[in-house]
Structures are given as structure tokens and as C-alpha cells.
Amino acid sequence: MSQHLDSRLLLGVSGGISAYKSVDLVRRLKERGFEVRVVMTQAATALITPLTFQAVSGHPVRTRLFDPVAEAGMDHIELARWAEWLLIAPATADLMARMAAGIADDLLTTLVLATDAQVCLAPAMNQHMWRHPATQENLETLRARGARILGPIDGDQACGDVGPGRMLEPIEIAESIRPRAEPPLAGVRVLLTAGPTREPLDPVRYLGNRSSGRMGYALANVLCDLGAQVILVSGPTELPAPPVVELVSVETAAEMHAAVMGRTTACDLFVATAAVADYRPASPAAHKIKKDAAELSLRLIRNPDILAQVAALPNPPFTVGFAAETREVERAARDKLTSKGLDMIAANQVGEPLGGFESEDNALTVLWDGGRRDLPMMTKTRLARELALLIVERYRERHAAST
Ligand code: PMT
């Protein structure tokens, strides 16, 4: 399923009989790549249960402004900021009147005032109510404030009347918001490294690190969702394979280096999430090392820096690195951004109980020439999506500049 840059849609359901159709509307919107969260008025809950919308949207449904549990999760101001679209379907005459008057006496009308999102209304009401001058004036007020009005249409009404006031069909509403579009990374070839490397000491032991591959695999999944053709070069992990065009399993940094350098010509975007060993044992023992000696010294030699080499190619792809640091995270990441000549770098604090290696969650500070964005602690799945959208923005900008 494709995701889009402006894909966060808050669906407001007010108390019209066509509220039941909004269940199908959620499905149609999700098919078009929207992440949908639903807010219902009290009147709407008399017609259809919040649980139905929860099941179809995959998110808890908000119905009240002062709900301590819901507010502790994502409070209403955060919800208003989260939304890129606020679609109200059905929009009743009463709701439109309250909106036009700037009243904020429930959660939905409060969100209308608190959000910067594009507001769209799909009115639905009895034909007399629709034709009433008060409704028509409210409609014009809302339109003048920038609301997009979708419908209504003429037809049979639930009350037995025939005339204007029937809500547009869910598919028509979804199409008006956004027709099925080409995903933003359609045709873009991505080469991505993930997971740890293992540097053999002898046939049974290795030098490794704590990378689980979660961050990289989450990113691979999102980039595939965004339409990219992803080649994943992965160190050893326990994770199921994402839907990539090619999965290259490697063990050592040298193998990862060879796998990546052999595939850079067919690559528009390179993302290095792998935790590559900087050093490897100079001469791995041919046989298992015995514990005869009281002390043992290892001589290590440098591994090639895959990311730096890709960025230094004559025609480099758009290159995104990671930086795993235990201190001075941002400064070290900015150094890597410039010294390796990267387009972007995603820095994370490692070595703490929360985030970084192994954990299900992580937080990133994303840096690029002239910009930065903090992505706070969240699941790696969600974080990957946030990061991917930033990558898409920067990638498109660079392409727009070079064409
Ligand atoms: O796999 P998880 O358990 O989910 O953990 C995720 C993660 C912490 C591994 C990930 O978020 C992360 O930070 N990955 C980069 C780890 C790392 O090696 O960082 P670094 O600062 O040492 O390296 C900088 C960059 O150079 C990285 O993009 C790395 O892939 C790359 N590199 C490093 C050394 C080398 N020889 N070749 C490289 O390409």
C-alpha cells in the first residue's frame, strides 16, 4: 500500500444518518495511502459505535474533549497538529453552523479551530435543511475560510424526501481528496544496508555488535511501501525478509562492502543503517583458539568505510548515513555528514536503556546541509516512516534542483 507525504487524515464524523457510510470511507481512504484517525461527535455515537471505526481505522477513536485516558496518549492539540487533512463526513447542518460561528463546544469543533490542516466537508442533511438560508450562509462562510466542500448530491433521502442533501458516496469523497496516485518513490532504486556484521576471530568466534536489524528492516519495509525497488544488504538477523527485490545476506564487513560496491551503478538512493565493524581481526585463526595462554592480544585492522566510499563515487546516489553515538551525538553526526560528504545523516544515542541498538523504539536527530529535524522516541516502525518521508522530501528537492 502506498504512503504519501501528506497522508495524515483526521476524519470527523457528525450525527447524520449517513455516518454508517463513513466506515467504508475509512477503507477507501486507507486504500489511497492515508493514515486515518477518527473523531466522532456524541450524536454520531448514537448512530454507530466508535468500536466499528476503531476496527476499520486501526486506531482508538476519540469522542470527548476531556477524556483523561485519550488526552494522556495524544492530546487534542497534538491531534490537531498531527492532521494534514481534516475531513468531516457527514457534516450536519448543526456542525456546519457551529463551525461557521467559531464555536468549540466539543472535541471535533475544537479541533476545527486548533488545526492548520486542510478542512474538507461532505455535507449530509435533509433537503430543506440544506436549502435553508442559514445553512447556505454558513456554507459560504466556511468556503471563504478555505474549507473544501464535497457534495452534497440530489437523490433519495433517508427521511423519504428527494432532493439535494445526500452525502457523496465514500469512493467519490476519497477520490476528491486524492485520486489513487503514483507512490512517491515509484521507480526509485534503493540500496540499503542493515543489521550487524560479524568479524571472525576463529572458526567459532566473532567480533560483533548489538544491532538487531530492526531499524534497517523497518526502513526497508517503508521504502517498499513508498514504491521504491529496494535491494537490502543485510548482516545476520532473526527478522522476516521485507518485500524487497533482492535480499543479499552477508556476514562480514568485507562481504557487505563487496555486495554494496557491486550494486551502486543501479542505485538512486543509498541508506546505510548497518552497524558495520570498523575493525576486523588481522589474521583470524584457522582453528579454534585454545585457552592455554594467560593473556591474549588481538591485532585489528581497519575495514573499508562503505558509506564514505559510496558517497565519494563520481556519480554518487543520494546518500543517507546513520550515526550511532554514546556522547556528543549531534556534533559527531554533523562531522560525519561533512567528512563523508553525505546528503543526510540520522543520528541516534546508543548505549542507553531506551532506544538505539536492539530496542523496539528509537529516536533520531536528522541532519542535512542547512537543516535538522528531531524525531522523538517512538517505535522503529513509526520512526522509519517519519525518516522515509524526510528522505523523500530531500531526495525530491535535490532532483528538482538538478533537472
Ligand atoms: O539494528 P537495530 O538494533 O535496530 O539498531 C539500529 C542502529 C542503532 C544499528 C541504527 O540506528 C544505527 O545507528 N546504525 C548505524 C550504526 C553505525 O555503525 O554507526 P557509525 O556511527 O559507527 O557509522 C556511521 C555510518 O557509517 C553508518 O551509516 C554505518 O552504516 C556506516 N559505516 C560505518 C563503518 C563502515 N566500515 N562502513 C559503513 O558504511
Side-chain angles (χ1 to χ4, degrees):
M1 189 187 301
S2 62
Q3 300 283 316
H4 299 265
L5 286 173
D6 54 346
S7 63
R8 295 169 181 154
L9 186 142
L10 195 56
L11 175 64
V13 182
S14 65
I17 193 71
S18 43
Y20 76 93
K21 290 188 183 177
S22 299
V23 176
D24 185 40
L25 176 58
V26 174
R27 193 171 62 82
R28 304 285 183 185
L29 291 165
K30 286 179 72 177
E31 277 172 6
R32 281 159 183 77
F34 286 102
E35 182 182 348
V36 182
R37 288 174 186 260
V38 180
V39 167
M40 300 174 75
T41 63
Q42 283 302 308
T45 62
L47 297 157
I48 189 156
T49 70
L51 207 57
T52 309
F53 282 108
Q54 176 171 320
V56 70
S57 70
H59 293 289
V61 171
R62 298 280 310 263
T63 57
R64 287 183 300 131
L65 182 54
F66 300 114
D67 178 337
V69 178
E71 287 285 301
M74 189 190 269
D75 73 30
H76 63 277
I77 296 298
E78 224 182 306
L79 190 59
R81 286 197 192 119
W82 171 87
E84 288 152 318
W85 298 85
L86 172 57
L87 166 64
I88 303 179
T92 59
D94 170 67
L95 187 90
M96 287 170 54
R98 285 188 291 138
M99 282 175 68
I103 292 170
D105 60 353
D106 64 5
L107 177 60
L108 183 53
T109 47
T110 302
L111 289 167
V112 169
L113 293 190
T115 192
D116 279 340
Q118 170 65 57
V119 175
C120 303
L121 299 175
M125 64 198 73
N126 165 272
Q127 53 140 344
H128 292 292
M129 294 172 82
W130 174 252
R131 288 192 173 112
H132 196 285
T135 304
Q136 290 303 310
E137 273 172 35
N138 291 335
L139 182 72
E140 284 322 308
T141 303
L142 295 172
R143 213 196 296 269
R145 283 184 203 150
R148 274 172 60 190
I149 312 297
L150 315 173
I153 50 168
D154 271 38
D156 293 338
Q157 302 202 306
C159 53
D161 278 12
V162 179
R166 205 181 138 96
M167 189 169 89
L168 279 183
E169 289 306 313
I171 184 128
E172 294 167 305
I173 297 174
E175 279 288 320
S176 319
I177 299 284
R178 180 166 52 217
R180 275 177 195 279
E182 201 171 58
L185 290 180
V188 175
R189 299 160 306 172
V190 177
L191 187 56
L192 185 135
T193 65
T197 62
R198 291 178 177 174
E199 309 301 318
L201 287 165
D202 68 16
V204 296
R205 302 182 182 96
Y206 58 81
L207 290 179
N209 62 63
R210 295 181 182 280
S211 170
S212 62
R214 284 202 178 99
M215 192 69 243
Y217 275 54
L219 208 46
N221 274 305
V222 174
L223 292 168
C224 290
D225 278 351
L226 293 172
Q229 294 160 27
V230 180
I231 297 178
L232 173 60
V233 180
S234 174
T237 79
E238 303 279 305
L239 303 171
V244 293
V245 292
E246 190 185 359
L247 172 60
V248 188
S249 298
V250 298
E251 206 156 305
T252 64
E255 287 169 9
M256 187 171 274
H257 177 251
V260 167
M261 299 317 288
R263 288 171 173 81
T264 51
T265 44
C267 156
D268 307 303
L269 179 59
F270 178 64
V271 188
T273 60
V276 188
D278 291 319
Y279 292 91
R280 66 178 182 275
S283 3
H287 296 283
K288 186 180 168 198
I289 301 169
K290 299 288 181 195
K291 56 177 181 198
D292 309 330
E295 277 186 21
L296 190 64
S297 298
L298 284 176
R299 198 167 72 82
L300 302 177
I301 52 173
R302 278 284 290 269
N303 276 325
D305 189 322
I306 305 167
L307 177 62
Q309 287 193 12
V310 172
L313 288 168
N315 287 311
F318 187 91
T319 305
V320 183
F322 269 65
E325 303 293 341
T326 53
R327 57 186 174 159
E328 294 190 79
V329 178
E330 185 163 341
R331 194 192 52 72
R334 208 165 270 289
D335 283 352
K336 283 179 187 170
L337 178 72
T338 42
S339 66
K340 298 193 190 197
L342 310 178
D343 293 295
M344 269 181 117
I345 194 157
N348 42 195
Q349 171 89 44
V350 293
E352 296 289 328
L354 202 60
F357 287 104
E358 293 175 301
S359 164
E360 299 275 356
D361 300 322
N362 201 10
L364 293 170
T365 298
V366 188
L367 308 171
W368 61 91
D369 187 17
R372 79 188 289 285
R373 182 82 61 85
D374 281 317
L375 303 176
M377 194 63 70
M378 60 184 100
T379 64
K380 284 181 179 169
T381 309
R382 213 179 133 204
L383 188 64
R385 185 172 171 278
E386 300 284 329
L387 176 62
L389 296 183
L390 271 180
I391 294 174
V392 170
E393 271 177 34
R394 310 299 314 154
Y395 175 80
R396 281 181 167 176
E397 215 170 281
R398 177 160 124 188
H399 271 254
S402 62
T403 50

